[in-house]
């Protein structure tokens, strides 16, 4: 049977690598088996369009990496990672040619929001002040440890509602409502759903507290740094080593699976209690994404000057427009005017040949929906940046099916390991105090189908590995 290990990890995404590093740092022997030829899962980069143009195939903004207690504790810079910050984290233009802009400074942000500036400061000021207490609690296992009850209660009162009720309760004008809607729509859920305000508050606060940087040279550098740390600790990684059944693995005391809930049912359903397997199979996935990467001849010609300062631009106009666009994919429709999440890199010139640029954008589409909506995405960019289409030298397009071919965890194009409905934020993948541990001794789930969910933070893997260490690898 060959070698045996303390732990085998299936999947080398950020969470699988975080789990493996956590175990290796505790002195345990670890093997990671990755299906793809390259490591990183949804944290990889490639020359998708033309030679010399580096694109992040999936994740690009490393706001959660900065907030993550696990990643903050790793010597990532020593292993090649450099984070580069745009002047502003995100911007949201309206048709009047002006944009609300989220700068690191809450005051500077408020200046872009007219009469709602004071309300933005009142909403985000206390959260930014408490961020160092909030981030570890919100990224840990649920329910959060009550170490800072006042900070958590203040957050909870604002977070346990819909993005619409929060925006309408706090703001009067479209610029502030739109700026909040754009960041809350990272939830990939209708903005009227309870809990969508939490996405806007967490990501909005991270924009002020730490910023929204990207990795110099591409997100792959973050995955490569994690691999380098793991190897320095003696951990082993095998690529092009897809696992179809947990029985194929070499002997180990624990197995940690960086796959989503339904994939776990396929890998281990024959050994898990039928009731648990059924719950994994009924775990719900959300809309897919349709993604476009561009090689550009020049920076995007935004009408609103503030958009030139930001890394991320949320396109779609008013709160009501975004709300309608985000409801469509849940009801099986492709939005005519989608909410578009765009990232540009004029502040990070290493991604393109001298004088040239890259940009990345996606919109949400029905689960598994493969209609080509590239034109709808480009029309939304053109709406706020006339002349944009003339700057395109080349493009790469990925539909939900292509996303899933690139990474088996992107079921139907769902990028967060399962839908972010309130019930699945609390019960991820099933309701219980220890969602990482399955009923089968030694088998753990460590992907974004566990708390705290999607994003490059590694906390699902780190949390799962800590529990495995405590329970079975003492
Ligand atoms: C288009 C897109 C944009 C995103 N943008 C951002 C962003 O800007 N910022 C951010 O923080 N997050 C972003 N995300 C989300 C973030 O990338 C994910 O939440 C994160 O990568 C999840 O990490 P993970 O380790 O759980 O899973 P993954 O990154 O999906 O990794 C899972 C790994 O497991 C492997 N695997 C699956 N099945 C098997 C098997 N049977 N055998 C062996 N290996 C297997 C896969 O090949 C993959 O390498 C984005 C995601 C996508 C898709």
């Amino acid at each position: 049977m060959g070698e045996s290990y303390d732990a085998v990890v299936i999947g080398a995404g950020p969470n699988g690598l975080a789990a493996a590093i956590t175990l290796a740092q505790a002195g345990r022997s670890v093997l990671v088996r990755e299906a793809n030829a390259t490591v990183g899962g949804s944290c990889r980069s490639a020359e998708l369009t033309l030679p010399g143009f580096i694109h992040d195939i999936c994740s690009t903004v490393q706001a959660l990496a900065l907030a993550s207690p696990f990643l903050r504790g790793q010597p990532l810079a020593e292993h090649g990672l450099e984070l580069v910050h745009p002047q502003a984290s995100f911007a949201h233009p309206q048709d009047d040619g002006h944009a609300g802009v989220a700068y690191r400074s809450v005051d500077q942000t408020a200046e872009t929001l007219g009469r709602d500036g004071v309300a933005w400061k009142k909403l985000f000021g206390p959260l930014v002040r408490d961020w160092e207490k909030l981030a570890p609690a919100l990224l840990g296992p649920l329910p959060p440890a009550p170490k800072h009850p006042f900070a958590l209660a203040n957050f909870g009162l604002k977070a346990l509602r819909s993005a619409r009720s929060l925006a309408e309760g706090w703001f009067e004008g479209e610029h502030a409502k739109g700026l909040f809607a754009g960041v809350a729509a990272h939830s990939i859920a209708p903005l009227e759903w309870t809990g969508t305000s939490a996405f806007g508050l967490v990501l909005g606060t991270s924009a002020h507290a730490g910023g929204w940087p990207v990795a110099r040279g591409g997100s792959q550098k973050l995955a490569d740094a994690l691999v380098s740390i793991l190897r320095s600790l003696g951990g082993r990684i095998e690529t092009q080593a897809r696992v179809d059944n947990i029985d194929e693995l070499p002997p180990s005391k624990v197995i940690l699976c960086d796959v989503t809930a339904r994939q776990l049912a396929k890998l281990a359903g024959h050994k898990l209690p039928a009731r648990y397997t059924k719950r994994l199979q009924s775990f719900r996935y959300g809309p897919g994404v349709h993604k476009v990467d561009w090689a550009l001849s020049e920076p995007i010609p935004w009408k609103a000057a503030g958009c030139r300062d930001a890394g991320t631009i949320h396109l779609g106009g008013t709160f009501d427009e975004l709300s309608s666009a985000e409801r469509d994919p849940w009801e099986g429709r492709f939005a005519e005017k989608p909410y578009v999440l765009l990232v540009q890199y004029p502040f990070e010139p290493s991604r393109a040949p001298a004088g040239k640029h890259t940009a990345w954008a996606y919109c949400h589409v029905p689960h598994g929906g493969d209609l080509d909506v590239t034109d709808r995405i480009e029309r939304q960019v053109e709406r706020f940046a006339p002349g944009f289409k003339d700057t395109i030298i080349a493009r790469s397009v990925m539909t939900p099916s292509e996303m899933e071919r690139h990474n088996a965890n992107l079921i139907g194009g769902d990028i967060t390991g399962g839908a972010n409905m309130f019930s699945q934020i609390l019960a991820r993948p099933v309701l219980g105090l220890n969602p990482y541990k399955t009923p089968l001794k030694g088998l753990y789930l460590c992907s974004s189908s566990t708390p705290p969910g999607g994003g490059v933070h590694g906390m699902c893997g780190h949390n799962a590995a800590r529990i495995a260490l405590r329970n079975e690898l003492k």
Side-chain angles (χ1 to χ4, degrees), residues 414-439:
D414 177 324
I415 68 169
T416 56
N420 287 320
M421 54 244 299
F422 191 56
S423 56
Q424 285 199 170
I425 295 172
L426 295 180
R428 199 167 183 87
V430 299
L431 192 61
L433 282 178
N434 186 348
Y436 308 96
K437 181 149 176 40
T438 75

Side-chain angles (χ1 to χ4, degrees), residues 132-154:
E132 289 300 320
K133 297 173 190 163
L134 285 171
L138 297 173
L139 291 173
L142 289 172
K147 267 194 191 160
H148 302 288
F150 293 114
L152 273 173
N154 177 39

Side-chain angles (χ1 to χ4, degrees), residues 55 94 103 108 145 147 220 236 353 395 406:
H55 302 274
Q94 297 290 352
Y103 290 95
Q108 196 181 354
K147 267 194 191 160
Q220 185 72 54
R236 211 175 131 193
R395 67 168 71 71
H406 159 76

Side-chain angles (χ1 to χ4, degrees), residues 6-12 15-24 28-33 243 246 249 252-259 264 267 436-438 442-447 460-469 472-473:
D6 289 321
V8 174
V9 178
I10 303 174
N15 283 313
L17 293 171
I21 290 171
T22 303
L23 294 165
R28 305 302 187 271
S29 59
V30 190
L31 168 71
V32 180
R33 282 220 168 139
V243 180
I246 55 166
L249 297 171
S252 67
K253 292 177 192 149
V254 296
I255 300 170
L256 294 100
C257 303
D258 186 11
V259 301
L264 178 64
L267 282 168
Y436 308 96
K437 181 149 176 40
T438 75
L443 184 69
Y444 291 78
L445 184 62
C446 72
S447 72
C460 312
H462 177 63
N463 292 337
R466 282 176 59 195
I467 291 169
L469 279 168
E472 291 172 77
L473 293 171

